[in-house]
Amino acid sequence: MATLTLALYNTYDVKRLHEAHLRAIARAAPLAYAYGFHLALVGFPLEGKPSEVAEAVAEKTTIGEGGRYLIELALSNRFHLLEFPRKGFPPQFGVPVATTRKPSAEKEITPLQLAEAFSGGESFLLLVGLGRHGLPKETFKLARYHMDITGKRMSLETCTAMGAIVARISTYVEALKWRSGRRTLRGF
């Protein structure tokens, strides 16, 4: 079964967990949960199993009903902890897509094209850079595709971008299901 994974790529601090990390996780979890995505953390200074990390992070937030959605993602095996990629991302998460307002012409994929490929059975790992500089240059090279969620080359604040990514793609996926006659209101 094809999956969509929202992957937060840590560019803040790889040695120490900061409030910015916790806020991003707490805000991403309800989005992933609500729209049927998986959530992956790339290069975060966290140790333990996803369920243990979810419990620890949940204790430190009031966002997302006190971390409830992060725990739910972990319990349903939809919360993942990944190391920084050396030669590429784990293939079980699908095709890596760098989210950016400046996609390269030869790698650009639109949100609709991505939704169509997902509807056809392809999985995607949607990379969102945390921090002022976004995703590192080497991540753009590793990503098969680059996607501008706005279609207007506009820069969005990270949490706003995360919301736009999951909402826009899931809306296209639902519309494609309706168009093809597979009428369903929830889940992919």
Side-chain angles (χ1 to χ4, degrees):
M1 182 172 168
T3 60
L4 293 169
T5 303
L6 182 64
L8 306 183
Y9 194 103
N10 175 25
T11 59
Y12 281 121
D13 187 343
V14 297
K15 297 190 187 297
R16 194 168 65 90
L17 195 64
H18 292 269
E19 185 65 27
H21 290 115
L22 296 171
R23 279 195 311 271
I25 297 166
R27 290 178 176 144
L31 290 169
Y33 184 81
Y35 290 96
F37 281 58
H38 287 235
L39 176 62
L41 306 180
V42 181
F44 276 65
L46 296 164
E47 292 184 17
K49 296 177 183 176
S51 59
E52 296 166 345
V53 170
E55 290 285 344
V57 170
E59 290 176 8
K60 298 176 182 175
T61 186
T62 58
I63 301 171
E65 293 187 35
R68 172 181 161 222
Y69 300 113
L70 184 60
I71 293 168
E72 291 290 333
L73 288 171
L75 291 174
S76 62
N77 199 30
R78 290 174 39 214
F79 176 53
H80 314 280
L81 304 171
L82 307 177
E83 298 293 325
F84 286 120
R86 288 193 169 75
K87 295 182 181 180
F89 291 94
Q92 65 267 31
F93 293 100
V95 176
V97 178
T99 61
T100 178
R101 71 180 180 96
K102 296 178 182 179
S104 68
E106 64 275 0
K107 288 189 168 189
E108 186 168 12
I109 188 171
T110 68
L112 179 56
Q113 290 168 326
L114 189 142
E116 289 170 336
F118 171 74
S119 296
E122 199 163 354
S123 294
F124 291 94
L125 179 70
L126 300 157
L127 302 160
V128 177
L130 300 182
R132 278 178 258 196
H133 304 293
L135 293 169
K137 289 180 185 177
E138 54 274 8
T139 304
F140 284 95
K141 292 176 187 171
L142 287 174
R144 185 185 307 169
Y145 297 117
H146 297 173
M147 182 182 68
D148 171 23
I149 197 63
T150 69
K152 297 178 181 176
R153 308 299 196 247
M154 291 179 61
S155 180
L156 300 176
E157 186 274 331
T158 304
C159 291
T160 303
M162 290 187 305
I165 290 164
V166 299
R168 189 159 191 206
I169 291 171
S170 64
T171 299
Y172 280 138
V173 169
E174 287 295 319
L176 291 167
K177 282 182 182 178
W178 277 82
R179 188 185 325 162
S180 71
R182 294 179 288 152
R183 292 174 171 81
T184 178
L185 293 177
R186 283 277 175 214
F188 300 134

